Amino acid sequence: MPTAATVAAGHGPDRPSGAAPAELLRRLRARSGGDADPVTHVERVPARPGEQTPWPLWAPEELRAAFARRGVVAPWRHQAEAADLAYAGTHVVVATGTASGKSLAYQLPALATLLADPRATVLYLAPTKALAADQLRAVAGLELDGVRPATYDGDTPRAEREWIRRHSRFVLTNPDMLHHGILPGHAHWSGFLRRLAYVIVDECHTYRGVFGSHVAHVLRRLRRQCARFGRTPVFLLASATSGDPATAAGRLTGLPVAAVTDDASPRGGVTFALWEPPLLPGPGQAPGAGQAPGVGGPAGGAGDLAPVRRSALRETADLLADAVAAGVRTLAFVRSRKGAEVVAATARRALDEAVPGLGERVAAYRAGYLREERRELERALLHGDLLGLASTNALELGVDLVGLDAVLICGWPGTRASLWQQAGRAGRSGDEALAVLVARDDPLDTYLVHHPEALFGRPVEATVLDPANPYVLAPQLACAAAEAPLTPADLDLFGDGAKEAVDSLVAAGALRQRPTGWYWRHRERPEVDLRGEGGAPVCVVEAATGRLLGTVDGGSAHFLVHAGAVHLHQGVSYVVDSLDLDDGCALVHPEEPDWSTHARDVTSLTVASVRSYVDAGPVGLFLGEVDVTSQVVSYQRRRISSGEVIDTRPLDLPARELRTVAVWFTLSPESLAAAGVEPADVPGALHAAEHAAIGLLPLMATCDRWDIGGLSTALHPDTEAPTVFVYDGHPGGAGFAERAYGTAAQWLRATRDAIAECGCEAGCPSCVQSPKCGNGNNPLSKPGALRVLDVVLANLPAPADPGAALPRQGDRRTG
């Protein structure tokens, strides 16, 4: 926590540049106290000079002069290379680092075309409103006659929308608005679409999983409407550095895409520290005494108060406060909206205790704020009115906040691509910067801070999406048919599985087949959720007043707002009186109980089909479709002060069914017995291995542990063997199980290492405990999990190419 002396030593909050990265890191390490150094590794990313090249000959003088007024005297080599390709009509993705100038790479050909052809138009797509607003400022700031840039999204006043459709030549929007507004109203946009020259898809690496699969078909629907007007726009995509960007961009657009990946921009040096919060002492034990790196509290029994690690949220808040006290302009990335608010509030309190009023220099930033509030926060941080900001990943993407001195990353953000995007926010016009990854008490975070080789010097992940997912393809074809009847030529556009999906829609009565094509049969448009959040949101309403507090996505309602659940909203605690799933409404009343609630569910799984498998003697590895049935059956009330379970109360909620894709491995009982796993320990050993495998899968695939689920059983009826399943938590799958199958040896080796290197005895949140376990993390056997994984790894063949899939050995059903 900062003190008045700390602020004085840091030159005060108004010092424009703050402490140098190395000096700031030294101060942060010193304030941690205790015997153990919280920094497990420091990586030095060296500075790099840039390489400029002349402007393309086709770039008009007016545009060059506009960029020059903004301080751009010549493009970097990769900017010119991507711009040349796009201007020549080649679909292109530029995949380079943060602050490498990707915006100029697509602005240059797009704006040059608008200046050369007074009728041409450009459509820009961003995953967030903040990024679109930032790009609007950049394009409008060039002050080019006739371009008339404008944002068209949910915040756009209806009075302005008609003007934008008729007059704007550079429209900035997002995939959701393209899906819900522009494509259904294509007749009103005909003038814009028939002159569309470029489609810019910014931060395209964010379109992954089910969301990315939906966006892929929204882009195909856009191409289809343009083709009806005789237009074939050039697609210009921008991505963070990612694995195989050309393939990912091609899968997203359905087009051949050239990739520009050699970053020629200058980069300031970055000092990157991995930070593990210290242990909190248990009864009779000093912090860290006798514990190996990576330890958390063992699972233990009721009332066991063994040491656990300090909260990453609290640690990040203290680091943010210390950085601001040292005059360092700092951005803290936090995974959740609630977490961002907690970090900002905690840092403000600490700063105000040191120097009254200094806490005003820190704020939170997240989705849910009014547009005016978000813009004001961005402006205040850029101009130095704010020194610290705690943000969700809403500020990770492209928003021009380069100029910060330090970035704190509270918990592994899910992918190396996101890690480097967030770290890249720091760096003041090429100056030195500090980035700190603060580990949560989680298997993957613990593994990474003790295995820096898994982060540094390795390529970032490939973006995973599956446009052929029938649960995505069929609804998107229904949307396309509602916009205009489908033809056989359209089915080629939508790719593999389109004919089968159309046939299923005809059989379901959604489409009618006629000689001229397939027609949508209903008056209402199809309801399709691009982001795959599990149905319509559930409204949370204060029963006494009728006030709408907020919403919870339908997929989480059973867990978060069941009757009796404690629900937090803007720091106020409520208890749920009732949940009406038919009306999509949860009624609550304000209450401050001294307990928290934790839903418990039961899950069953059946194997529907096997796509491919590897026969490895006593071990089998499989990929296929599964049917998952889950039901929330009860919830525990736990004392907040001690974690003591007060009671378990039953719930009567309907079961949910999910057809998805899973990867699973089986072991023979004989191999487990030979490895020393007693029959009574098999359930706990498999359960612990399942938890750890789920926790480590995000290391291999662009997913979060909340995107996936798992099941383990000592004898599954379909496999007739001890089995561990890991499945995608989205209908039809999201591509994560396929990635797990292809990298199984690497994935399970990292899982085994994470368990073995954790210093706890019985299992803890850093290795085999799961925050989302429906069985209350019982039973778990950490030693048994190691023996299970040893058997799997001893028999599973490792592919010659670590990124390649294991060899397929056939298709069959199990059982």
Side-chain angles (χ1 to χ4, degrees), residues 397-416:
L397 303 173
V399 177
D400 188 11
L401 293 180
V402 176
L404 299 164
D405 299 298
V407 165
L408 306 173
I409 303 169
C410 182
W412 169 244
T415 65
R416 284 184 289 272

Side-chain angles (χ1 to χ4, degrees), residues 442-447 665 684-700 705 708-712 724-726 746-758 763-773 777 779-782 784-786 788-789:
D442 172 270
L444 182 53
D445 286 40
T446 302
Y447 177 85
F665 60 82
L686 297 174
H687 193 197
E690 171 214 327
H691 280 182
I694 289 172
L696 269 291
L697 182 54
L699 188 64
M700 305 297 164
R705 76 179 300 153
I708 48 183
L711 179 78
S712 56
V724 171
F725 294 89
V726 175
Q746 293 171 274
W747 165 43
L748 297 176
R749 171 61 62 188
T751 301
R752 196 255 179 226
D753 291 347
I755 299 172
E757 293 168 7
C758 184
C764 69
S766 292
C767 57
V768 299
Q769 289 186 2
S770 169
K772 54 183 255 189
C773 180
N777 286 298
L780 290 177
S781 170
K782 177 182 175 179
L786 289 172
V788 163
L789 292 169

Side-chain angles (χ1 to χ4, degrees), residues 208 412 414-415 697-699 701-708 736:
R208 63 174 182 84
W412 169 244
T415 65
L697 182 54
L699 188 64
T702 51
C703 68
D704 184 270
R705 76 179 300 153
W706 301 94
D707 289 323
I708 48 183
F736 308 135

Side-chain angles (χ1 to χ4, degrees), residues 289-328:
Q291 299 290 343
V295 67
D304 189 346
L305 299 179
V308 296
R309 292 208 172 274
R310 196 165 188 259
S311 159
L313 287 175
R314 183 59 188 266
E315 193 80 349
T316 301
D318 283 355
L319 294 175
L320 178 61
D322 285 332
V324 169
V328 177

Side-chain angles (χ1 to χ4, degrees), residues 267-464:
R267 180 181 65 193
V270 178
T271 299
F272 206 130
L274 305 182
W275 187 289
E276 186 171 44
L279 287 167
L280 298 174
Q285 182 172 345
Q291 299 290 343
V295 67
D304 189 346
L305 299 179
V308 296
R309 292 208 172 274
R310 196 165 188 259
S311 159
L313 287 175
R314 183 59 188 266
E315 193 80 349
T316 301
D318 283 355
L319 294 175
L320 178 61
D322 285 332
V324 169
V328 177
R329 198 177 301 179
T330 304
L331 177 60
F333 282 106
V334 189
R335 292 172 60 89
S336 69
R337 298 182 185 185
K338 178 183 175 183
E341 296 279 7
V342 168
V343 167
T346 305
R348 281 196 296 265
R349 284 196 300 270
L351 287 165
D352 282 335
E353 289 176 10
V355 178
L358 186 56
E360 296 177 2
R361 307 291 294 276
V362 175
Y365 182 105
R366 60 172 177 81
Y369 287 170
L370 297 176
R371 177 174 59 173
E372 294 76 12
E373 292 176 303
R374 295 196 302 267
R375 300 296 90 81
E376 175 57 26
L377 287 168
E378 294 162 17
R379 185 208 62 78
L381 186 64
L382 282 169
H383 290 82
D385 300 332
L386 284 175
L387 278 176
L389 199 63
S391 172
T392 60
N393 64 359
L395 286 181
E396 172 186 328
L397 303 173
V399 177
D400 188 11
L401 293 180
V402 176
L404 299 164
D405 299 298
V407 165
L408 306 173
I409 303 169
C410 182
W412 169 244
T415 65
R416 284 184 289 272
S418 288
L419 181 77
W420 289 109
Q421 279 287 98
Q422 294 180 4
R425 296 292 95 188
R428 185 179 298 241
S429 301
D431 289 348
E432 295 286 317
L434 174 67
V436 180
L437 172 62
V438 181
R440 294 170 301 158
D441 205 2
D442 172 270
L444 182 53
D445 286 40
T446 302
Y447 177 85
L448 290 172
V449 294
H450 292 285
H451 289 80
E453 71 279 2
L455 293 176
F456 304 109
R458 290 190 60 182
V460 298
E461 307 86 351
T463 303
V464 176

Side-chain angles (χ1 to χ4, degrees), residues 524-590:
E524 302 82 12
R525 282 188 44 78
E527 288 290 333
V528 177
D529 175 15
L530 289 192
R531 297 177 185 267
E533 293 176 342
V538 172
C539 297
V540 182
V541 177
E542 189 173 28
T545 64
R547 181 167 65 103
L548 177 65
L549 299 178
T551 60
V552 173
D553 70 83
S556 302
H558 287 209
F559 290 90
L560 299 181
V561 288
H562 58 76
V566 176
H567 177 74
L568 295 177
H569 179 75
Q570 295 184 353
V572 179
S573 175
Y574 296 83
V575 174
V576 179
D577 298 316
S578 64
L579 170 62
D580 189 326
L581 293 170
D582 292 331
D583 290 341
C585 179
L587 296 178
V588 304
H589 69 270

Side-chain angles (χ1 to χ4, degrees), residues 93 95-96 204-205 239-246 248 261 417 459-463:
V93 56
T96 52
C204 66
H205 64 283
S239 170
T241 303
S242 64
D244 200 0
T261 59
V460 298
E461 307 86 351
T463 303

